[in-house]
Amino acid sequence: MINLSDYNHIHCIGIGGIGLSAIAEILLDRGYTVSGSDMKESEITDRLMKKGAHIFLGQREKNVEGADLVVYSAAVTQDNPEMIRAAELNVPAITRADMLGVLMSEYENSIAVSGTHGKTTTTSMISLILEKAQKDPTILVGGNLSEIGGNVKVGQSEYFVTEACEYMDSFLRLRPRIEIILNIDSDHLDYFKDIDHIVSSFKKFADLVGDGGKIIAYEANPFVNGIVKELPDAITFGYNENCTYYVTDIIFNSFGMPQFYVNHDGKRLCTIQLSIPGEHNILNALAAFACCHSLGVEIESMVSTLESYTGTQRRFDVIGVTSDNVQIVDDYAHHPTEIKATLAAAQNIPHKDLWCLFQPHTFTRTLALFDEFAESFQQADKIILAEIYAAREKNVYKISSKELVNEIKRANPSKDVYYFSDFEEIANFVVNNSQSGDLVITMGAGDIYKVAEIILEKDRRR
């Protein structure tokens, strides 16, 4: 592990990404000279420039000169011109995850939230609980959290909260004292061979916690449970009365928001009424509660924070309502399990027809989970697919959303399923065919959120 005090000028390749930008902001706060490059200007790069970072648009060899340490994001390959130049100059280069591990090692109470689903929401909940309990944590979250004005906040205490992403085994570089394992599911199969490979990585992640550390895990997930069985001191959460923390008496109000009792070791502690919908968010809130309760945060403080939490951007984000009383929501769900959870949450909200406007994310995920995707839209009345969002990939598989549309129709012959390659076409179809009382959800990890904006703009013009 590197010693940060040996370096002065740190250059970040891919500095505009939500993960590496947070690292850059912490380094700036500590007084390091920070430069970085990205392919385009953004709100993130503008914010970093205002904080003192030197930003290069485009990635070129000369950008690295003068730096004595390079940090690069997971999307950067070894043939990147800045990586090549760093090697020529003998400038050490480490991953964003490596740097995060270095930073975490300096904190007594470092918390890493892992799992295939729910990381951003749970990390945000824990962060706000600690913030409002006057713990002054350093926070790195994978979405924009309005309460901290972005995705990072630099605190001055021994508390550090971050997401722990399993992709490329990045979370194995971290040094947490407290780990949360929300769930384990098949994903990122462009890197992992199969579910056994994924479980093996999570097992290694669990092994990172040394003596005196804590592991907080969801008992009902069979893959998580297989790991927990080997860890007798693990704190468990779920619906089972055998869990350390468990919920009972769940009810939903007319807006789809759940209320439930929290129990600890057989004793009822409190009632929580969430301000975000969905049964999956009950578990996210329970994980956050278990973590902060184990750290000694007062119950009343946790309850008030969880009840006032309204979510991060792109997590069942209510965008607006049209003049025809059609509610428009945006959600980041991009895995079959997440799609089902989001559509299930929507069922608890009064509506006429439920529209799901989905953009598959990456060709490998679409291909690997093709059958699961086809079965995941059963609770939607109207289904529209946009073309696959490529992200970091090239379409070597020659797969299109058209194939997925055909499979969804085969699996759900009674459903209205459509494909449009253009966002304008999708927006026009929704505007012309939706009715008062309908609920429309744009869904996916790409740029499908733009369709929600186009729909509302078209409505304003009308």
Side-chain angles (χ1 to χ4, degrees):
M1 184 179 291
I2 67 168
N3 185 347
L4 270 181
S5 62
D6 293 338
Y7 304 97
N8 296 303
H9 178 178
I10 301 173
H11 181 76
C12 302
I13 308 176
I15 198 169
I18 200 159
L20 190 49
S21 63
I23 296 289
E25 196 158 327
I26 291 174
L27 294 172
L28 284 166
D29 185 78
R30 292 187 175 195
Y32 289 94
T33 299
V34 176
S35 62
S37 60
D38 215 285
M39 299 309 295
K40 59 183 179 181
E41 187 178 6
S42 66
E43 291 182 9
I44 290 175
T45 57
D46 289 345
R47 185 177 75 242
L48 289 173
M49 287 179 68
K50 289 176 183 176
K51 290 181 176 290
H54 188 164
I55 306 293
F56 300 98
L57 296 181
Q59 294 175 343
R60 303 175 183 85
E61 293 182 359
K62 64 180 182 180
N63 297 347
V64 183
E65 295 177 7
D68 49 18
L69 178 66
V70 166
V71 185
Y72 60 97
S73 71
V76 174
T77 57
Q78 295 300 313
D79 60 356
N80 181 287
E82 296 184 18
M83 292 290 289
I84 293 172
R85 184 57 177 158
E88 291 172 349
L89 295 171
N90 292 318
V91 175
I94 63 172
T95 66
R96 182 251 178 195
D98 283 320
M99 177 59 83
L100 184 54
V102 170
L103 294 172
M104 289 184 78
S105 66
E106 301 176 0
Y107 291 79
E108 182 178 341
N109 292 308
S110 54
I111 303 164
V113 181
S114 72
T116 312
H117 322 289
K119 291 188 292 292
T120 297
T121 296
T122 306
T123 303
S124 299
M125 288 174 167
I126 292 169
S127 299
L128 292 181
I129 290 172
L130 294 176
E131 180 76 0
K132 293 183 180 180
Q134 308 297 313
K135 302 297 185 182
D136 193 20
T138 294
I139 300 165
L140 280 78
V141 64
N144 287 320
L145 190 57
S146 60
E147 289 88 345
I148 63 172
N151 70 305
V152 59
K153 177 252 179 186
V154 182
Q156 303 301 320
S157 74
E158 288 302 311
Y159 290 88
F160 188 103
V161 190
T162 185
E163 294 184 31
C165 181
E166 74 274 17
Y167 183 56
M168 303 286 286
D169 279 333
S170 293
F171 63 176
L172 300 185
R173 314 289 182 90
L174 307 186
R175 296 295 178 266
R177 297 286 292 162
I178 301 173
E179 287 182 1
I180 296 173
I181 306 178
L182 296 169
N183 42 64
I184 299 174
D185 204 347
S186 291
D187 200 12
H188 299 304
L189 295 173
D190 55 329
Y191 172 74
F192 294 109
K193 300 182 185 72
D194 50 30
I195 187 65
D196 290 337
H197 186 188
I198 298 171
V199 172
S200 173
S201 288
F202 273 91
K203 177 64 171 66
K204 292 175 183 175
F205 178 65
D207 290 341
L208 293 177
V209 175
D211 294 339
K214 299 183 179 76
I215 293 179
I216 302 168
Y218 177 44
E219 170 267 348
N221 181 285
F223 305 114
V224 178
N225 199 26
I227 294 173
V228 169
K229 283 181 178 178
E230 301 178 18
L231 304 169
D233 296 328
I235 298 168
T236 57
F237 68 93
Y239 301 108
N240 190 320
E241 292 183 2
N242 293 324
C243 293
T244 317
Y245 294 85
Y246 60 95
V247 296
T248 55
D249 302 276
I250 301 169
I251 58 173
F252 291 88
N253 66 18
S254 59
F255 298 102
M257 314 301 183
Q259 176 184 291
F260 51 92
Y261 290 121
V262 175
N263 307 272
H264 176 234
D265 288 338
K267 179 183 177 182
R268 181 172 290 180
L269 295 183
C270 59
T271 304
I272 296 176
Q273 171 71 66
L274 293 182
S275 299
I276 51 176
E279 190 166 336
H280 59 294
N281 280 319
I282 296 174
L283 293 171
N284 293 335
L286 186 60
F289 185 101
C291 174
C292 296
H293 189 249
S294 72
L295 288 169
V297 179
E298 292 184 357
I299 292 174
E300 293 79 5
S301 177
M302 290 189 287
V303 170
S304 65
T305 302
L306 289 171
E307 291 195 333
S308 64
Y309 175 75
T310 55
T312 54
Q313 288 183 11
R314 304 219 60 213
R315 271 71 178 180
F316 216 92
D317 206 356
V318 178
I319 306 301
V321 180
T322 71
S323 57
D324 292 332
N325 192 34
V326 176
Q327 188 170 197
I328 311 296
V329 170
D330 179 58
D331 196 89
Y332 192 72
H334 57 284
H335 183 282
T337 301
E338 297 166 354
I339 294 169
K340 290 178 183 178
T342 301
L343 295 177
Q347 294 302 326
N348 292 306
I349 299 172
H351 64 272
K352 189 175 180 182
D353 280 344
L354 175 58
W355 294 65
C356 182
L357 283 47
F358 180 66
Q359 180 188 45
H361 188 263
T362 72
F363 305 110
T364 52
R365 180 181 286 115
T366 305
L367 188 64
L369 303 175
F370 190 82
D371 292 339
E372 290 88 342
F373 275 117
E375 297 284 350
S376 62
F377 297 94
Q378 293 179 5
Q379 296 195 68
D381 300 301
K382 312 279 187 183
I383 305 161
I384 298 177
L385 262 64
E387 194 45 84
I388 298 168
Y389 187 83
R392 55 188 173 267
E393 298 180 346
K394 294 182 179 179
N395 192 7
V396 297
Y397 309 100
K398 306 302 179 186
I399 188 173
S400 166
S401 290
K402 295 176 184 177
E403 285 84 25
L404 186 53
V405 164
N406 292 334
E407 188 62 20
I408 294 170
K409 288 180 178 178
R410 189 199 64 75
N412 306 272
S414 64
K415 299 287 185 185
D416 294 328
V417 189
Y418 308 91
Y419 165 83
F420 297 107
S421 61
D422 181 78
F423 283 178
E424 284 283 340
E425 289 183 286
I426 296 175
N428 283 332
F429 188 84
V430 173
V431 168
N432 294 329
N433 292 278
S434 57
Q435 299 179 12
S436 176
D438 284 359
L439 174 58
V440 176
I441 305 178
T442 54
M443 190 180 293
D447 57 356
I448 189 69
Y449 64 87
K450 294 177 181 177
V451 176
E453 299 168 356
I454 295 170
I455 291 170
L456 291 173
E457 179 59 29
K458 288 180 179 295
D459 181 68
R460 281 191 289 270
R461 289 176 182 174
R462 287 199 307 173

